[in-house]
Amino acid sequence: MKKLIVSHIYNEEYMLPWWLQHHRKYFDHGIIIDYHSTDNSREIIKQYCPTWEIVTSRNAEYNEVEMQKEIFEYERNYDESWWKACLNVTEFLIGDFQSLTNTQGVLFVPCLYFIDDQELRDSSTLSYDKPLWETLKTGLDVPYTFDFRGSRAIHTPNFIYPSGRHFRRLINTDRFMIFNYGFAPMTEEFYKRKLQIQNLIPMQQRLMHNGGAHTDGSNPNGLTRERFVEFYREYLPVENKHFPNLLQRFGDLSQVMNQFLNQL
């Protein structure tokens, strides 16, 4: 069976080389929905994945409802002989891709949520020539992301995703894991990426704390660099009511990472 990956981007030139180099090994085709990027994102996609589609979003903003509808319209062009996944460019699907050869269904894949152990990392410690997980190995294990981030779905039947594509409290596979680099690496380039995405999120959704990793619902003017440093320290315990001291629970994920990396 073939495999399709979909993502949506806005000025993602920093993360794309890592994300594309990984997923092009395991997916037969990719569709990247571009929200009118002004950087080199399109050129990078053409460089690493020249046969993948780059389509311009019909939406001017990151409206969650309209975003999920648009993703569905592209995925439904591929029948149940295809496995489909929609991931952010901070999310890397790791696991036993060979097991998808002759099976169908829906797999709810949990995530490891990586948090950099350096507030401002020197970008020279990283290279596009090696995966992020060879350098960045600290974060939150699955028990602490079960409610917070939930799972992503990889699936053969077509359906419209729920808001944010989060499937909380759902896990039905031990063959895959999402390596989610939502708070890593904390380089200057990554700070810039975090701060600029809020410009696409409608003000009403900002005030409702939607897109919380990129916005500041308490400030209608948006997220500032100074607030982000504070936000970085506070976001996880503030966001998650079940685990109020979540940020204190992150640690070395090497052991659980290797369980899935060894299946690639």
Side-chain angles (χ1 to χ4, degrees):
M1 296 181 68
K2 292 186 176 181
K3 295 175 283 295
L4 171 76
I5 190 165
V6 179
S7 189
H8 49 82
I9 65 166
Y10 174 66
N11 289 350
E12 290 286 6
E13 63 182 6
Y14 183 57
M15 291 298 294
L16 274 170
W18 284 302
W19 192 86
L20 293 168
Q21 287 183 87
H22 172 68
H23 290 102
R24 69 181 180 180
K25 299 175 186 176
Y26 306 105
F27 286 86
D28 299 280
H29 190 51
I31 300 174
I32 309 298
I33 304 172
D34 178 28
Y35 278 73
H36 314 279
S37 293
T38 58
D39 66 353
N40 293 318
S41 292
R42 284 177 171 256
E43 289 71 22
I44 290 170
I45 297 165
K46 293 174 184 177
Q47 174 187 349
Y48 286 100
C49 299
T51 64
W52 287 17
E53 294 177 65
I54 308 170
V55 296
T56 300
S57 176
R58 66 181 183 224
N59 300 307
E61 298 179 312
Y62 269 13
N63 180 295
E64 289 190 354
V65 173
E66 294 304 315
M67 180 185 295
Q68 311 318 329
K69 289 180 180 178
E70 188 170 23
I71 293 167
F72 169 72
E73 289 181 11
Y74 285 109
E75 288 190 346
R76 70 180 179 181
N77 293 324
Y78 296 81
D79 63 22
E80 293 196 14
S81 66
W82 286 73
W83 279 95
K84 284 143 279 194
C86 183
L87 302 175
N88 299 340
V89 296
T90 54
E91 298 171 330
F92 296 75
L93 184 62
I94 311 291
D96 183 12
F97 286 92
Q98 293 298 319
S99 67
L100 300 178
T101 303
N102 294 308
T103 59
Q104 292 184 325
V106 180
L107 298 180
F108 297 105
V109 182
C111 80
L112 301 176
Y113 200 77
F114 289 82
I115 303 171
D116 204 339
D117 56 6
Q118 299 179 30
E119 187 174 292
L120 183 58
R121 176 178 289 274
D122 182 354
S123 59
S124 67
T125 62
L126 302 165
S127 169
Y128 290 130
D129 293 331
K130 63 180 182 179
L132 287 172
W133 47 85
E134 290 189 12
T135 303
L136 301 163
K137 302 181 181 183
T138 56
L140 298 170
D141 204 344
V142 172
Y144 307 130
T145 65
F146 187 63
D147 286 301
F148 165 51
R149 290 295 297 182
S151 299
R152 292 299 197 202
I154 58 175
H155 54 98
T156 55
N158 293 308
F159 54 79
I160 296 179
Y161 293 99
S163 177
R165 305 192 317 281
H166 300 293
F167 294 87
R168 295 182 174 90
R169 295 180 172 270
L170 284 174
I171 298 173
N172 67 354
T173 180
D174 58 2
R175 291 177 285 159
F176 292 92
M177 182 67 69
I178 301 282
F179 286 16
N180 187 318
Y181 284 90
F183 277 93
M186 278 300 165
T187 61
E188 284 285 359
E189 295 89 345
F190 200 78
Y191 273 114
K192 179 181 177 181
R193 172 194 175 270
K194 281 283 188 182
L195 294 173
Q196 57 97 31
I197 291 175
Q198 67 183 314
N199 298 325
L200 285 185
I201 300 175
M203 181 59 69
Q204 182 179 8
Q205 292 193 20
R206 295 190 208 178
L207 295 174
M208 294 170 61
H209 296 268
N210 292 337
H214 306 286
T215 65
D216 182 358
S218 64
N219 181 4
N221 294 321
L223 189 64
T224 65
R225 168 63 185 271
E226 292 73 23
R227 173 60 180 148
F228 188 80
V229 174
E230 179 184 1
F231 183 73
Y232 168 60
R233 296 175 181 145
E234 296 180 353
Y235 172 68
L236 292 173
V238 169
E239 181 76 2
N240 194 295
K241 298 177 182 178
H242 299 281
F243 301 105
N245 298 311
L246 205 55
L247 194 57
Q248 299 175 13
R249 303 189 183 200
F250 82 90
D252 189 339
L253 298 175
S254 297
Q255 186 173 355
V256 65
M257 290 166 62
N258 288 336
Q259 296 176 28
F260 297 93
L261 290 170
N262 291 337
Q263 297 184 59
L264 288 175

